[in-house]
Amino acid sequence: MGLVTWSVGVLFLSTLLLCSADVHHYEFFVRESNFKKMCNTSTLLVVNNSYPGPEIRVHRGDTVFVNVHNRGKYGFTIHWHGVKQPRNPWFDGPEFITQCPIRPRTNFTYKIILSEEIGTLWWHAHSDWTRGSVHGAIVILPAENETSPFPTPDGEQTIILESWYNGNFKKIIDKALAAGTPPPQPDAYAINGHLGDTYGCPTDTIFRMEVDYEKTYLLRIINAAMNEQQFFTIMNHTLTVVAVDASYVRRFKSDYILISPGQTMDVLVSANQNAGQYYMATRPFSDSDVPPVDFITTGIFQYTNFVGGSNASLITLPAMNNTDAMLNFISRIRNTNVTQNPPINVPVDTDINRRVFITLAVNDLPCKNSKCVVSDGFAASLNNVSFVYPHIDVLQAYYRNIRGVFAENFPFLPPEFYDFTGNLTGVVSAVEVGTRAICVNYGDAVEIVLQSTQMGAGGSHPIHLHGYSFYWVGAGFGNFNGETDPSTYNLVDPPLMNTIDVPGTGWVAIRFFANNPGVWYMHCHFERHTSWGMSTVLIVRNGSTIETSIRPRPSTMPRCHRT
C-alpha cells in the first residue's frame, strides 16, 4: 500500500513538472590551474579555471547535459550529489561504481535527470580526492507553475564550505595511501574559495556578501569539506532553516547550523540589525578521539554603503567538541507536509521486508606497498568488509552479467556482536577486503540501521546513499537495541535526506522504498574513510516492466582499461 501511495504522489508531481520541463547544456573544461593562498601557490584540478566551479542553475524537473572535457593528467568522474537520476545510474558518476574514468584528452557528456528535488544540491568529482577542488553548486528553482513554501526572498547567495590544502588533492591522498599513513590535516578552511582574515597571510581574500537593510536573503549552504563537519553562523543574525538535502523541512530558527560533508541546507536570514559589517564564520565539529584542526574561517555579511571594520573577538561559535550544540540543532530537523514536497510516505513496520544492520569502523590491514612506512596501514569497513574498487565498473558488470567483478553477498548483519560503543578491550575483529554488494528487489521496503563503533578513533560518519532520498526515522546513543529502539522512531514527519550523520557513539535508522532500479554507491563522506574502504554498493534489481527497469546502457560510456 505504501509503494502505491508513493507512486501516485510522484506520478502527480511528475505530470506537473513535465508540463514546463526545460533542457540545459553546460561545458566543463577540467584542467590544472594555479591558486595563491596562505602566501603559497598550489596547483589544483578545477573546472573552467574556477575554485569553486561553475553553478548549474535549473528548475525542478528539468534535464541537464554537461559535456566534461578532461584536460588534466589523469582520469576522473563527476557525481551529481543528491540527484536521484531515476532509472539512470549510468550518469551518476562514482568511479568504478557506475562508470570508468574520463581519460585525459577525452570528453564525456552526462545526462542529469531531475525529478522531485528542490532547493540546493551540488556536483563534485568522484575519483580519489579530486572533489576537493572539482565541485560546485546545483541550484534547483521551483518549476514555473510552483512557488516556494516561504515568502520570496529579496536575494540569494550560495555559500560553499571547503577544506584548503597547500598542495594537489590527488597527490596528497596517493602519498598517504602508499605510505599506509593518515592523510594530513587541511591547512585552512574556506568559504567560496576565500580563506578570510584568520590565517595570517596579508594577501588572502575574504568572502563578502553585500545586503540591504530590512531585506531577506536565501543562503544556499553546501559542505564540500573533505573530512570535517562544520558549524556556521552570522554574528548577531538569526538563521531560519527551510530545506535540507533538496527537500523542504519545517522551518525553525537557530543562531548557527551544523552541516556534514555532502549535506546542503537552505537558510533564510534577514538583514535587520544596525548597518555594519558582521562576520560570518565556520569552524569544525568533531566527536572523534582524533579531531580535525580547530580553525575558524571568516567571511563578511556587509550592509550596503557601510564603511568600517569588524572585530574578530566578536565571533561566537559552539566549541568544536560541543555535542550538545550538535544535538540541539539536528534534533529540530523535521519533514513538512507542503504541496512542494512528495507526500510523506514512510515505510511502516509491516512494510519492511529487508532489514540491514551495518557497523562502521576504522581498522588496519598489513601495508604491502613498497613505499609503506608502517607495518599496518589504515583501513575502514562496513560490517568488517573493506571495499575494494574493481577494474571495471560494478554497474557494467551487473548489467552485462560479467562474473568475478563483485559479489552479491554483503553481510546483512555484522559478523560478531560486541559492545560497539563501549570498552573494546579484547575485541579483535577480522577485516576482509572485497567488492560486495547489498542486493534488494524493486519495491522492497528497506530499513538500514547504521551503528558507529569505537574501532579506530571513533567519531561520527556522514553516510551518503546515491540514487535515493531516505527517511531518517531514528537515532540514539549507545548500541542499537532491535527490541526497544524502534519504538522511538519518528514515522510521522521524518526528514528526507541523502546524507545522514551517524554520531560517534550511537546509531541512526533510515527507511525507504527501493523504487529506483540500478547500482547505487553508499559510502562515508569523510574522504579519508572512503579511501580506506568504508563503502558498499546497493543494487536494486529491475522490476517487471520497462518503467521499473534500468535504462539501456549508453554507447558513449568511457571505456575501462581492461575492456
Side-chain angles (χ1 to χ4, degrees):
M1 183 62 182
L3 183 57
V4 173
T5 304
W6 182 93
S7 300
V8 171
V10 170
L11 179 61
F12 176 72
L13 180 60
S14 300
T15 301
L16 290 177
L17 298 179
L18 287 173
C19 293
S20 58
D22 202 355
V23 177
H24 306 262
H25 296 268
Y26 288 83
E27 298 286 334
F28 280 11
F29 291 89
V30 186
R31 58 173 66 91
E32 291 187 339
S33 297
N34 291 331
F35 294 84
K36 187 173 183 180
K37 298 184 188 297
M38 302 187 77
C39 299
N40 292 286
T41 298
S42 298
T43 301
L44 304 181
L45 190 72
V46 294
V47 176
N48 297 352
N49 298 317
S50 177
Y51 170 77
E55 183 172 279
I56 292 175
R57 197 171 186 87
V58 295
H59 288 85
R60 174 140 75 166
D62 287 354
T63 299
V64 186
F65 291 90
V66 181
N67 189 8
V68 179
H69 305 261
N70 186 353
R71 300 293 185 262
K73 299 177 182 178
Y74 43 83
F76 63 86
T77 64
I78 292 184
H79 168 54
W80 318 96
H81 186 112
V83 178
K84 298 176 183 62
Q85 294 276 32
R87 302 176 43 236
N88 189 37
W90 305 106
F91 297 110
D92 186 50
E95 184 177 73
F96 295 118
I97 305 299
T98 61
Q99 69 169 98
C100 286
I102 305 168
R103 298 179 184 179
R105 298 175 298 281
T106 68
N107 67 295
F108 176 61
T109 299
Y110 287 91
K111 182 179 181 180
I112 305 157
I113 302 173
L114 297 167
S115 50
E116 76 261 33
E117 303 93 351
I118 186 74
T120 308
L121 292 173
W122 64 305
W123 56 265
H124 59 81
H126 218 302
S127 307
D128 304 304
W129 273 30
T130 47
R131 83 161 174 86
S133 54
V134 179
H135 59 249
I138 303 175
V139 172
I140 308 170
L141 303 170
E144 291 183 9
N145 55 357
E146 285 188 306
T147 59
S148 300
F150 49 81
T152 302
D154 298 293
E156 63 176 66
Q157 176 65 56
T158 298
I159 294 177
I160 303 181
L161 311 179
E162 301 154 306
S163 304
W164 175 260
Y165 286 80
N166 291 323
N168 180 277
F169 284 91
K170 185 177 188 303
K171 291 180 180 178
I172 288 169
I173 188 58
D174 285 351
K175 181 178 179 180
L177 291 177
T181 58
Q185 296 271 23
D187 296 293
Y189 305 119
I191 299 174
N192 286 351
H194 302 268
L195 303 193
D197 60 6
T198 60
Y199 294 101
C201 178
T203 59
D204 281 342
T205 55
I206 190 166
F207 171 72
R208 293 178 182 272
M209 178 182 172
E210 190 169 282
V211 298
D212 292 329
Y213 179 65
E214 292 190 336
K215 296 292 180 67
T216 298
Y217 297 85
L218 177 64
L219 307 182
R220 301 180 179 276
I221 304 173
I222 300 165
N223 188 349
M226 298 299 285
N227 299 293
E228 299 88 22
Q229 295 173 271
Q230 294 282 351
F231 289 117
F232 174 86
T233 190
I234 298 177
M235 295 301 101
N236 291 24
H237 291 76
T238 299
L239 306 177
T240 301
V241 180
V242 296
V244 175
D245 285 356
S247 179
Y248 292 121
V249 298
R250 187 186 305 166
R251 280 179 275 174
F252 67 94
K253 297 180 183 297
S254 179
D255 293 333
Y256 63 91
I257 68 167
L258 175 69
I259 184 168
S260 293
Q263 286 185 330
T264 61
M265 290 187 184
D266 290 359
V267 175
L268 294 173
V269 59
S270 294
N272 55 11
Q273 300 299 303
N274 293 331
Q277 291 187 133
Y278 297 85
Y279 271 126
M280 60 175 64
T282 184
R283 83 182 312 169
F285 163 77
S286 176
D287 54 3
S288 169
D289 292 337
V290 183
V293 286
D294 190 12
F295 295 141
I296 291 178
T297 295
T298 54
I300 297 291
F301 190 76
Q302 178 172 319
Y303 284 68
T304 305
N305 299 325
F306 177 81
V307 178
S310 299
N311 188 339
S313 65
L314 298 179
I315 296 175
T316 57
L317 275 166
M320 184 173 66
N321 62 353
N322 191 333
T323 304
D324 289 340
M326 176 269 290
L327 287 174
N328 178 63
F329 180 80
I330 66 171
S331 65
R332 300 166 69 189
I333 301 174
R334 291 287 187 270
N335 208 323
T336 182
N337 192 16
V338 295
T339 57
Q340 293 90 344
N341 274 351
I344 297 176
N345 187 36
V346 187
V348 297
D349 294 348
T350 53
D351 291 327
I352 301 296
N353 58 348
R354 183 65 67 191
R355 298 180 188 272
V356 188
F357 182 86
I358 299 177
T359 53
L360 300 82
V362 174
N363 319 91
D364 53 51
L365 286 170
C367 188
K368 300 178 181 179
N369 191 292
S370 61
K371 298 180 181 180
C372 288
V373 297
V374 293
S375 58
D376 287 334
F378 281 84
S381 66
L382 300 177
N383 277 354
N384 290 37
V385 179
S386 187
F387 189 84
V388 175
Y389 292 100
H391 61 277
I392 68 171
D393 56 284
V394 176
L395 176 57
Q396 179 182 182
Y398 170 71
Y399 189 78
R400 292 181 167 177
N401 197 27
I402 301 173
R403 296 186 178 182
V405 177
F406 70 95
E408 298 185 6
N409 61 353
F410 182 88
F412 283 11
L413 291 171
E416 65 175 302
F417 283 78
Y418 53 91
D419 186 2
F420 301 118
T421 57
N423 188 340
L424 302 185
T425 301
V427 177
V428 180
S429 296
V431 179
E432 61 176 283
V433 296
T435 311
R436 300 171 68 174
I438 300 171
C439 294
V440 301
N441 294 323
Y442 181 88
D444 277 354
V446 182
E447 177 181 291
I448 300 178
V449 174
L450 298 160
Q451 171 75 62
S452 285
T453 73
Q454 290 298 97
M455 289 287 183
S460 300
H461 301 280
I463 300 298
H464 173 48
L465 175 59
H466 292 218
Y468 282 86
S469 287
F470 48 75
Y471 290 103
W472 173 32
V473 298
F477 287 99
N479 302 323
F480 176 76
N481 186 314
E483 296 295 325
T484 59
D485 283 331
S487 65
T488 67
Y489 284 0
N490 172 18
L491 302 181
V492 177
D493 58 357
L496 268 175
M497 308 175 79
N498 62 58
T499 304
I500 184 64
D501 186 68
V502 185
T505 55
W507 56 270
V508 299
I510 65 174
R511 288 184 176 185
F512 59 94
F513 288 107
N515 46 45
N516 193 11
V519 171
W520 307 107
Y521 198 31
M522 186 170 77
H523 62 99
C524 182
H525 228 277
F526 287 160
E527 287 302 302
R528 67 180 185 275
H529 291 168
T530 297
S531 299
W532 295 337
M534 190 177 286
S535 53
T536 187
V537 174
L538 172 70
I539 295 179
V540 179
R541 300 184 181 96
N542 285 340
S544 58
T545 65
I546 293 177
E547 292 75 18
T548 58
S549 300
I550 300 174
R551 299 169 192 263
R553 183 176 188 269
S555 61
T556 57
M557 298 301 296
R559 288 192 59 191
C560 302
H561 280 290
R562 300 189 188 181
T563 60

